[in-house]
Amino acid sequence: MKPLTCSSIPLFACILTAHAFQFPDCSSGPLSNSIACDPTASAPDRAASLVDQLTIDEKLVNLVDRSKGAPRLGLPPYYWWSEGLHGVAGSPGVHFNTTGYPFSYATSFANAINLGATFDDELVYEVGTAISTEARAFANFGFGGLDYWTPNINPYKDPRWGRGAETPGEDPLRIKGYVKALVAGLEGNGTVRKVIATCKHYAAYDLERWRGLTRYEFDAIVSLQDLSEYYLPPFQQCARDSRVGSIMCSYNALNGTPACANTYLMTDILRDHWNWTDHNNYITSDCNAIQDFLPDNHNFSQTPAEAAAAAYIAGTDTVCEVSGWPPYTDVVGAYNQSLLPESVIDTALRRLYEGLVRVGYLDHGSSSNGPFSSPAYDALGWKDVNTPLSQELALRSATEGIVLLKNSNNLLPLSFTGKKVALIGHWANATGTMRGPYSGIPPFYHNPLYAAQQLNLSLSYANGPVMNGSDPDTWTATALAAADKADLVLYFGGTDTTVAAEDLDRESIAWPETQVALMAKLAGLGKPMVVIQLGDQVDDSSLLSNGNVSSILWVGYPGQSGGTAVFDVLTGKKAPAGRLPVTQYPAGYVEEVPLTEMELRPFNHSSSAASSEDDQADIEGDLTIQLERRSTPGNKTLSSPGRTYKWYSRPVLPFGYGLHYTTFNVSLSLSLPASNSLSIPSLLTPCTAAHLDLCPFSPSANFTLFLSITNTGLRTSDYVALLFLSGEFGPKPYPLKTLVSYKRVKDIKPGETVTVSGEEIPVSLGAISRVDGNGNTVLYPGTYRFGVDVDGLLDEEREVVVGLTGEAAVLDEFPQPKE
């Protein structure tokens, strides 16, 4: 092989380390005269040529994430594991230069949950583009790989899930929009992908470690209705519509079969139904998920060899192993025991290497190397992390996701002129925790204390507690002393990754008691007090009702520029317009339904008299459902109040909630025939979309939704339009409401009216359809009520009604499990 040398990178000093990523030598190495290195050949033929040249021993050592390559052919090792959730991040495939500039850091954007709160897919695309540009530069200089295990798109249905902050929220339509934008930015739109994106974790994965049950053994019991309607739509977007390069199968089992051995998931749905085969795309396992097949966890396979064979035969193409955590994947044993045919091995390797071919792995340094391997691109890719443009984008990703939850007497925005300010709390001077999970090394930490100092504020600072504990109280006295000297108190609190993270679910969704006690004493001083809440959602009931707490901002995990973003909003430099991407539940919700319950709809099976009518009453009423746990371990319960905004009726703050510094007058109109009704066939007949669920709801100029937004206040502000649907059609119970489209409208000036056409806030037939008990997506006749919210609240005055007539039409026939 031809290693990268100092002469290969004349722009920078030669700082490559021994473990540097390397491209194969297609100029003069053993592969150079084969079809594999022929840039005019097709990607499948090039991948097949490479695989055909491998011996069986070489094939077997390239089926895991730390693939060893084939030195005989000049094929270097490759690590199938790079991370880029919200910026290039440390991982086996990514290495930061610890000796100094360059490649010593990467831009740390706000986390996925913040980007979900922006409801701004143009911004999401820009962030994805910036991440892949930096990632490609890392790869071209040997510091990173070409495949990135992002995005995490499992719907965030339960606030206890430790990895919820890695996702864009709870609503599948919102996640689909985020996926479409982010994957487009990550992979690019050229014939050569910038990087390979990996949508994870497929499927029904949202439990880490809860009351003794771990993700490694959890069997998610999911109905076809919930699977099709809620857990799979983001993956449908990834696979069927965005044609993403890779998908990761998850730790958990689905209805009795581990996800990475589940042919129903990987073959019947993913590859056959969604036709995710045109680029020979590949599936990677989550790390050590295959050893979880063994008796200690899923008890699906009895030996490591049997586990390896089950995974590859079912459709997993490469297995991630965690160094130091045996038993490792026994690929050799599976082959030697005739459990794993060479034809299956070849199929997996062809998929993997075709993925690398499509990202330019065999073209680096050749005369036809695509757009991502030239010195000019390398320099641009690195310099982007050091430019005002990249820093401005990181700041926007944080600022746009900030959500204003309370603002009594319009305290915000603040004028700090002539005022002394107290910054109190464990987040005020945070550094690494600002990044959140799956992070790299940022160029700087502009935390709240830094931002306040940059404004030359007269300030005092005191730390605060994170969680409840028995440690001596070393914070209250200093915090009260700091607040006593101030005219205004800013409390920076909430959870962090010591409270909820990968392998760590929450038991409580209340504010930590130590923080509650401190905030109560601070509020008791009677001074204007703003609570800036970071991390995950907690029950804000007591703060919302406390007259001494003037304002609340939710900031999430804002990344490298989080402090600057907060003060830009506090001062009114930027008006808040973010919306909650999840429901804020009351603290008692955790006692009503176990984390293991996968059912979305409310139910009460504790009585044989329960019926669908009872279930509907549970949604609409204010019933207190008493939890009755089954005596059998784990997954189900006898009753549930429902999950997500579609089914749960008693939130502290609803999905989509968010206040502004100004006021808006919003109206919704619809051009319709005089009858105010449409026939279902008339919506389907003119459609030319590849799939019926992608057909537009307004197929002609004679039938279009219009949204009029007037800023009736005094400040320029963005406005996020959330279009919801409600109605009694399709199977019972009926959802309270369903998000069917959204649009962030930028910089609406005082007195300005902006009209948003149907093309700008499109509604698809899939968005307004329902899912039946078999998982089929069906467009039903009935009365459809469309409404748009202001500050997260719906009003009948902003509602239009459409009648759909005719026979119900199946838009997508869901595959049924084989007996």
Side-chain angles (χ1 to χ4, degrees), residues 284-401:
T284 178
S285 81
D286 207 336
C287 296
N288 285 5
I290 307 311
Q291 69 172 240
D292 295 338
F293 292 6
L294 299 176
D296 285 348
N297 289 307
H298 292 305
N299 196 24
F300 183 78
S301 304
Q302 297 306 301
T303 68
E306 291 175 357
Y312 291 110
I313 290 172
T316 303
D317 299 305
T318 181
V319 171
C320 174
E321 301 174 331
V322 179
S323 180
W325 288 88
Y328 297 116
T329 312
D330 191 4
V331 184
V332 174
Y335 175 77
N336 288 341
Q337 296 170 39
S338 300
L339 300 173
L340 180 60
E342 188 170 5
S343 60
V344 173
I345 294 170
D346 288 349
T347 295
L349 289 172
R350 286 173 182 173
R351 288 170 177 161
L352 291 166
Y353 285 113
E354 183 172 334
L356 288 180
V357 167
R358 292 185 181 279
V359 81
Y361 180 62
L362 296 175
D363 298 328
H364 192 83
S366 71
S367 59
S368 302
N369 55 14
F372 306 126
S373 299
S374 69
Y377 185 88
D378 292 337
L380 175 65
W382 168 249
K383 289 181 179 178
D384 268 0
V385 305
N386 218 18
T387 62
L389 178 63
S390 179
Q391 294 182 21
E392 187 273 336
L393 184 59
L395 179 59
R396 277 178 54 207
S397 73
T399 307
E400 284 197 22

Side-chain angles (χ1 to χ4, degrees), residues 593-637:
V593 58
L595 182 56
T596 49
E597 175 58 62
M598 305 300 288
E599 174 74 23
L600 276 298
R601 290 158 178 76
F603 59 83
N604 191 337
H605 299 322
S606 59
S607 168
S608 59
S611 67
S612 60
E613 286 78 10
D614 296 331
D615 291 343
Q616 190 65 33
D618 289 348
I619 299 178
E620 296 169 350
D622 191 23
L623 304 180
T624 301
I625 300 177
Q626 201 65 30
L627 179 67
E628 298 185 41
R629 300 188 189 280
R630 292 185 176 181
S631 59
T632 54
N635 302 336
K636 300 293 289 183
T637 182

Side-chain angles (χ1 to χ4, degrees), residues 57 62 68 183 200 209 295 328 447 477 491 493 495 497 501 506 627 638 750 783 795:
D57 290 334
N62 283 288
K68 298 184 182 300
V183 169
K200 62 185 188 183
R209 186 179 297 273
Y328 297 116
N447 63 23
Y491 180 79
T495 66
T497 53
R506 289 192 282 172
L627 179 67
L638 290 179
T783 301
D795 190 305

